[in-house]
Amino acid sequence: MLNQTSFTEFLLLGVTDNQALQPYLFVVFLAIYAVSVVGNGAVLMIVISDLRLHLPMYFFLGNLSCLDICYSTVTLPKMLENFFSAHKEISFLGCISQLHFFHFLGSTEALLLAVMAFDRFVAICRPLHYSVIMNYQLCTQMAVVVWTTGFFHALLHSIMTSHLNFCCSNQIHHFFCDVKPLLELACGNTKLNQWLLNTVTGTIAMGSFSLTLLSYFYIIISLFSKSRSCSTLHKALSTCASHFMVVILFYAPVLFTYIRPASGSSMEQDLAPAIMYSVVTPVLNPLIYTLRNKEVKGALSTVIRKRGGYISSQIMYNMYNRRKQLRKDKWERPACLNS
């Protein structure tokens, strides 16, 4: 990559310039980041360790949890650091790297949510053929294609952005390096970059969203046609609704941010949608996809019981050894001291 910029670093202005709000925002976003890492880490650990969860649905759920941990880590640590930093600078290479990994993980998540919706479509609408269609080889191939597509899509943006000439300002009105804020600072012709953003990124987002919508549409039709029990139908629709809520919370801000023309948008308008799909969604995914899932909750409770039993047994064992040592010390004391 050729660095043609006159700046060696950029300044991330963050979500607000109000100094009084920043300590409170630091606590809020730190809590969100901690919940995201712990929640997704727990899901990933359970999916890997419990053999009962070695199924296509949980294979993709594990991919999503791993992705969300990385997705949060791309933006939130730097945001938290800048709340108490006077300079808020990020190097040119660091900025391009953050842009690359953000779009890599973001586009991968968009594609992965579509794949997960397709998996649920096959499980509900084609239950007798599920194990044949969603075999290990196909699941692995789909995961590889999703991650590879996301990587090369991000690589395209990072290469094209790194070749721009930035001569107006180095102040980015955002809390992380993204394509749109950087295009605002670029000098010269950015039509190709804007076309890539609107067309390529828009196609990935819109295509994934359309496939997800189509899968859930057929799932709902199938549930209404096959379910004879109102309670079963209500439970299934409730689960679909919670999953669909996560899909909407992710895709709607993405489409709002990247499909709109640059001339009709401002960086302030893009901050709230960016927080939604880059900060809030990774926290909601483990909650929505696991709290309504009996298998995951059962595996989690088993792990907690095992850990709790191990800790309590260790405490009892240490107490027993302590009492045994005290009795031994008492009998080994000289007779004059015992009297």
Side-chain angles (χ1 to χ4, degrees), residues 105-127:
L105 298 166
S107 54
T108 301
E109 178 154 353
L111 295 166
L112 187 59
L113 288 173
V115 169
M116 292 175 72
F118 173 74
D119 171 71
R120 291 298 83 207
F121 159 75
V122 177
I124 293 171
C125 301
R126 301 287 187 272

Side-chain angles (χ1 to χ4, degrees), residues 38-53 58 61 286-287 289-309:
V38 172
N40 285 293
V43 172
L44 185 61
M45 179 194 69
I46 291 167
V47 168
I48 292 173
S49 61
D50 197 317
L51 295 176
R52 295 170 298 176
L53 301 183
Y58 303 108
L61 184 59
L287 299 175
Y289 282 102
T290 58
L291 289 181
R292 291 178 175 272
N293 191 295
K294 289 183 179 180
E295 288 79 6
V296 176
K297 286 194 292 185
L300 182 61
S301 62
T302 301
V303 170
I304 292 172
R305 281 198 303 269
K306 284 182 178 179
R307 297 282 181 181

Side-chain angles (χ1 to χ4, degrees), residues 107 154 189 199 212 223 241 263:
S107 54
N189 191 351
T199 305
T212 305
L223 287 172
S263 57

Side-chain angles (χ1 to χ4, degrees), residues 59-92:
F59 170 73
F60 293 123
L61 184 59
N63 274 263
L64 183 66
S65 296
C66 177
L67 190 152
D68 280 336
I69 292 172
C70 300
Y71 197 34
S72 300
T73 304
V74 169
T75 56
L76 278 173
K78 187 63 181 175
M79 182 206 282
L80 294 171
E81 177 192 336
N82 286 344
F83 278 130
F84 294 104
S85 174
H87 302 292
K88 306 179 187 296
E89 73 277 354
I90 184 171
S91 67
F92 179 82

